[in-house]
């Protein structure tokens, strides 16, 4: 079910004796967990790991000791270090410069997504401290921020990118994209795919905020291209607030358009590349695609607008801190505030069963798409992305709807119950949504039930898969999906902090 067949990762295969992790992660390896679910050991041999971090190793050891259940412990041990173990395809410097660069692949696809790489780093955020050392997590973070800035300045509408030339890694062909028609045009030597997703730009602001908040290292943001990249992000925001029709009825010329030759409706856009009409005056920023890389039905995509509003505000603190940029920082704050007003005005709809809820997408006319998708940003993740408090009344109403059969993409069955989405289609639940469910509740019974379902549904492989058939544990997608594994680890660290007693529970022979 992988959408990029034929794209093979080079990260591990590059080291002569190391198996390609795409194969390695597809079969079980001993020693086994010894628990009911007999989970495989899945970390690569130390010589084959793509980045070594003593703080991550110490954390894996410490947290593991607090996990009583052998299967949960094994899943954490495999999952948390997965990005460092397998996905740091290259970490180095820009030509003739002290500018660090980090090329992080998503896992099974040899390209760097803005969204995935920001989130892959976020799993290590609790361990991030200020350091100038090249072998530190801080250096990996700086390298991601610098490379993302370069990508945005080159192709501000694209979502996924090729290795930097300095790495010496060859670009990967993307057969799915080879016949795309995209404005503005781009070259496939630097871009892997060019779907415009507002959350990709929010992810750049997110990883920047995360680094700054943990290190207070404002001077780093002055050194290279960060300020220009933020200007480029604001330019997209401006261009993507343009409505379909001008006041005189003339059709606006949009800065971006996209079509693909495909049999899947979600892989292209309506109206020959423009998408469905978007009304004037919503104050929302359009998104052509969702974080699943599927096209939006209505371009007023609420979760990405929430995420963008949230991290635009937090990144304005960086802009103020670096000095001489108060105007730009002020613009960021104003846009963030205006987006919040627009989301409340256009994104909230009344339902008879659940009261006032957030819509997933709106068009500013009268159409609303009521659903949620597993990928982050989602409506479920609104507190996780810092947009609102989890006890917000509209959020709680929304949560009750999207975690029920009233959400057209809530998947049910004996194996796992969770939100899915059109990317893998009906019948496939995404553990990533179960993880976000845990992050966004204090209800211990709910947390325990979700953990139980995650631990029991890895098909013995001991990794977090992208999606799972809710009636057949052996039918799953993506054996190597680093983001979801890191997110699982991050959630366990959060539980260690918030609910350590849950990590002391047994998940063996449970009937929940
Ligand atoms: C665990 O799984 C491995 C690999 O499938 C298998 O060889 C082994 O017998 C299993 N152990 C138990 C106790 O089920
Ligand atoms: C990580 O450490 C191992 C030794 O434990 C070494 O063989 C390997 O090359 C190191 N990996 C990197 C990327 O430095
Ligand atoms: C960096 O140097 C390499 C090798 O000299 C060259 O091929 C490449 O074009 C340079 N890249 C940039 C971004 O200047
Ligand atoms: C880029 O496109 C050209 C022309 O279509 C093609 O020949 C080449 O193989 C592509 N390169 C990659 C890395 O996909
Ligand atoms: C985009 O198209 C223009 C006009 O045809 C051309 O000059 C330019 O080189 C193209 N850019 C890329 C990145 O292919
Ligand atoms: C910054 O970090 C503090 C504590 O470490 C946390 O409470 C706060 O929410 C963080 N802010 C952002 C914007 O991430
Ligand atoms: C949008 O509508 C407002 C009034 O409601 C008008 O002032 C503005 O010019 C319109 N903008 C566009 C691009 O149509
Ligand atoms: C209609 O829009 C096009 C493209 O934006 C522009 O070139 C043209 O001048 C506009 N015509 C009128 C009558 O507004
Ligand atoms: C479950 O999925 C596996 C893997 O796709 C498949 O081989 C098997 O036949 C399926 N089992 C049933 C009962 O459909």
């Amino acid at each position: 079910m992988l959408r990029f067949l034929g794209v093979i990762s080079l990260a591990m295969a590059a080291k002569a004796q190391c198996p390609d992790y795409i194969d390695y992660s597809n079969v079980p390896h001993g020693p086994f967990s010894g628990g009911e679910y007999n989970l495989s050991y899945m970390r690569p041999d130390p010589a084959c790991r793509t980045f070594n971090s003593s703080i991550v190793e110490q954390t894996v050891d410490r947290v593991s000791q607090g996990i009583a259940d052998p299967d949960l412990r094994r899943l954490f041990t495999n999952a948390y270090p997965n990005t460092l173990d397998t996905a740091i395809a290259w970490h180095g410097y820009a030509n003739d410069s002290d500018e660090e660069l980090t090329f992080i692949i998503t896992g099974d696809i040899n390209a760097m997504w803005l969204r995935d790489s920001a989130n892959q780093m976020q799993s290590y955020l609790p361990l991030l401290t200020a350091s100038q050392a090249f072998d530190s997590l801080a250096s990996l973070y700086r390298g991601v921020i610098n490379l993302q800035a370069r990508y945005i300045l080159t192709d501000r509408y694209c979502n996924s990118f090729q290795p930097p030339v300095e790495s010496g890694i060859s670009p990967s062909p993307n057969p799915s994209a080879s016949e795309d028609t995209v404005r503005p045009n781009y070259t496939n030597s630097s871009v892997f795919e060019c779907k415009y997703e507002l959350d990709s730009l929010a992810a750049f602001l997110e990883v920047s905020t995360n680094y700054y908040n943990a290190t207070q290292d404002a001077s780093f943001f002055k050194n290279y291209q960060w300020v220009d990249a933020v200007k480029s992000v604001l330019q997209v925001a401006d261009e993507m607030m343009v409505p379909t029709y001008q006041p005189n009825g003339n059709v606006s010329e949009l800065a971006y358009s996209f079509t693909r030759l495909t049999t899947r409706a979600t892989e292209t856009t309506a109206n020959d590349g423009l998408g469905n009409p978007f009304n004037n005056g919503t104050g929302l920023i359009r998104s052509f695609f969702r974080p699943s890389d599927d096209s939006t039905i209505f371009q007023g995509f609420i979760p990405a607008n929430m995420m963008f509003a949230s991290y635009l505000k937090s990144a304005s603190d960086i802009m103020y801190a670096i000095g001489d940029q108060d105007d730009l920082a002020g613009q960021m704050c104003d846009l963030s505030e205006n987006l919040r007003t627009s989301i409340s005005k256009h994104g909230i709809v009344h339902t008879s069963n659940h009261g006032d809820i957030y819509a997933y997408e709106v068009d500013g006319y009268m159409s609303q798409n009521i659903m949620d998708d597993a990928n982050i940003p989602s409506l479920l993740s609104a507190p996780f992305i810092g947009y609102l408090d989890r006890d917000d009344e509209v959020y709680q109403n929304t949560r009750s709807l999207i975690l029920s059969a009233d959400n057209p993409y809530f998947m049910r069955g004996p194996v796992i119950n969770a939100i899915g989405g059109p990317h893998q289609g009906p019948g496939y639940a995404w553990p990533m949504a179960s993880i976000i469910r845990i992050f966004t509740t204090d209800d211990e019974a709910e947390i325990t039930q979700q953990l139980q379902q995650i631990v029991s549904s890895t098909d013995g492989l001991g990794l977090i898969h992208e999606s799972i058939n809710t009636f057949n544990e052996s039918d799953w997608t993506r054996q190597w999906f680093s983001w979801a594994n890191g997110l699982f680890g991050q959630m366990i660290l959060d539980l260690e902090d918030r609910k350590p007693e849950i990590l002391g529970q047994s998940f063996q022979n449970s009937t929940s």
Side-chain angles (χ1 to χ4, degrees):
M1 301 280 288
L2 179 63
R3 297 295 165 213
F4 296 96
L5 295 175
V7 179
I8 306 285
S9 166
L10 304 172
M12 285 187 55
K15 282 191 187 173
Q17 309 301 325
C18 297
D20 191 326
Y21 197 72
I22 205 162
D23 301 323
Y24 187 83
S25 54
N26 207 17
V27 287
H29 308 274
F32 294 92
S33 62
E36 177 182 355
Y37 303 107
N38 190 29
L39 298 191
S40 165
Y41 183 74
M42 271 298 173
R43 295 194 67 183
D45 187 88
C48 297
R49 295 178 189 167
T50 58
F51 190 85
N52 293 318
S53 164
S54 52
I55 175 120
V56 170
E57 296 304 330
Q58 287 157 19
T59 303
V60 168
D61 290 347
R62 189 201 72 236
V63 176
S64 295
Q65 281 166 22
I67 303 177
D69 185 87
D71 291 313
L72 183 62
R73 194 186 317 126
R74 175 55 56 83
L75 185 53
F76 172 74
T77 306
N78 290 337
Y80 189 55
N82 190 263
T83 288
L84 298 188
D85 281 353
T86 69
I88 310 297
W90 184 75
H91 177 220
Y93 292 97
N95 275 1
D96 305 321
S97 166
D98 60 359
E99 180 185 8
E100 294 146 302
L101 297 175
T102 310
F103 180 65
I104 301 193
I105 58 172
T106 71
D108 49 15
I109 305 165
N110 199 40
M112 175 156 151
W113 261 252
L114 296 179
R115 169 184 47 258
D116 287 51
S117 58
N119 286 300
Q120 283 166 286
M121 288 314 300
Q122 194 186 64
S123 53
Y124 307 115
L125 179 60
L127 314 183
L128 175 63
T129 53
S131 168
Q132 293 307 316
F134 185 69
D135 63 0
S136 64
L137 291 174
S139 175
L140 280 187
Y141 258 92
R142 287 190 295 271
V144 169
I145 295 166
N146 287 332
L147 187 54
Q148 289 202 356
R150 178 192 287 189
Y151 289 149
I152 288 168
L153 283 166
T154 327
D155 298 286
R156 64 187 184 281
Y157 281 100
C158 302
N159 59 320
S160 166
F161 295 87
Q162 301 284 6
V165 282
E166 291 90 338
S167 68
I169 305 173
S170 305
S172 297
N174 182 356
S176 310
S178 64
E179 294 190 83
D180 292 355
T181 303
V182 184
R183 181 178 66 234
N185 59 347
Y186 59 84
T187 158
N188 67 0
S189 58
S190 59
V191 168
F192 184 78
E193 179 169 74
C194 197
K195 288 176 171 170
Y196 161 58
E197 305 170 353
L198 177 60
D199 80 280
S200 294
L201 300 174
F204 171 64
L205 302 174
E206 173 190 50
V207 68
S208 301
T209 294
N210 287 348
Y211 176 78
Y212 175 67
N213 198 29
T215 64
Q216 299 296 306
D217 180 7
S219 69
F220 159 69
F221 292 92
K222 278 193 270 204
N223 292 345
Y224 310 106
Q225 306 186 90
W226 189 79
V227 173
D228 287 339
V230 172
K231 286 181 186 162
S232 195
V233 167
L234 292 174
Q235 185 187 344
V236 173
D238 205 40
E239 291 168 347
M240 289 295 115
M241 290 171 91
V242 170
T244 300
Y245 304 102
Q246 298 295 311
N248 68 357
N250 195 15
V251 177
S252 312
E253 187 171 334
L254 266 194
Y256 175 85
S257 71
F258 178 103
T259 57
R260 170 171 293 181
L261 287 173
T262 173
T263 56
R264 306 189 86 221
T266 48
E267 292 288 332
T268 188
T269 62
N271 289 317
D272 301 316
L274 295 180
N276 286 317
F278 185 71
N279 210 354
N280 179 27
T282 65
L284 298 169
I285 304 169
R286 297 177 186 230
S287 192
F288 276 58
F289 289 88
R290 301 172 180 168
S292 58
D293 299 334
D294 299 330
S295 53
T296 50
I297 295 173
F298 305 120
Q299 293 184 341
F301 177 48
I302 299 299
N305 275 273
M306 288 175 164
M307 182 180 178
F308 195 77
S310 174
Y311 291 112
L312 197 59
K313 177 77 173 74
S314 56
S316 74
D317 292 343
I318 309 175
M319 203 55 95
Y320 280 121
I322 65 184
D324 290 335
Q325 296 292 351
D326 287 7
D327 282 357
L328 202 47
Q331 274 178 46
M332 294 163 80
C333 290
D334 290 348
L335 179 54
S336 171
E337 216 31 64
N338 291 342
L339 283 173
R340 284 184 169 273
T341 306
S342 302
I343 291 166
S344 298
K345 182 161 171 217
H346 297 279
I348 298 178
V349 299
H350 189 74
T351 64
S352 48
N353 288 344
H354 302 273
D356 285 346
I357 59 142
Y358 285 107
Y360 190 64
E361 295 168 349
V362 300
D363 64 357
Y365 292 96
M366 278 174 279
S367 295
Q368 300 131 354
N369 181 6
I370 308 300
M371 59 168 272
D372 202 25
D373 180 288
N375 285 270
I376 309 163
S378 56
L379 292 174
L380 185 64
S381 71
F384 181 74
I385 58 181
Y387 183 74
L388 42 66
D389 288 333
R390 69 165 79 107
D391 52 11
D392 178 284
E393 188 185 340
V394 179
Y395 174 71
Q396 283 301 326
N397 292 343
T398 309
R399 202 173 191 276
S400 80
L401 185 155
I402 61 186
L403 295 175
S404 80
D406 287 348
N407 171 6
Y409 288 101
F410 188 72
M411 307 304 166
R412 292 158 293 148
V415 174
I416 178 171
N417 291 265
I419 297 171
H423 197 69
Q424 298 298 358
Y428 291 83
W430 290 48
M432 175 177 275
S434 312
I435 295 169
I436 290 297
R437 189 166 175 180
I438 294 172
F439 265 117
T440 55
T441 185
D442 268 331
D443 180 335
E444 292 177 12
E446 187 179 12
I447 294 172
T448 301
Q449 178 204 49
Q450 296 306 303
L451 274 178
Q452 179 68 45
Q453 294 189 16
I454 296 169
V455 171
S456 62
S457 64
T458 77
D459 198 20
L461 291 169
L463 288 171
I464 304 294
H465 294 137
E466 178 194 49
S467 76
I468 302 162
N469 183 330
T470 57
F471 284 84
N472 180 356
E473 188 201 347
S474 300
D475 179 15
W476 44 260
T477 60
R478 296 190 74 180
Q479 66 269 37
W480 181 17
F481 182 25
S482 288
W483 170 19
N485 282 284
L487 187 71
F488 175 82
Q490 187 184 341
M491 177 270 287
I492 295 290
L493 263 60
D494 179 58
L495 285 182
E496 185 199 33
D497 203 36
R498 230 164 28 101
K499 304 267 178 198
E501 63 286 355
I502 289 183
L503 300 185
Q505 291 176 13
S506 166
F507 294 90
Q508 306 292 303
N509 294 314
S510 168
T511 51
S512 61

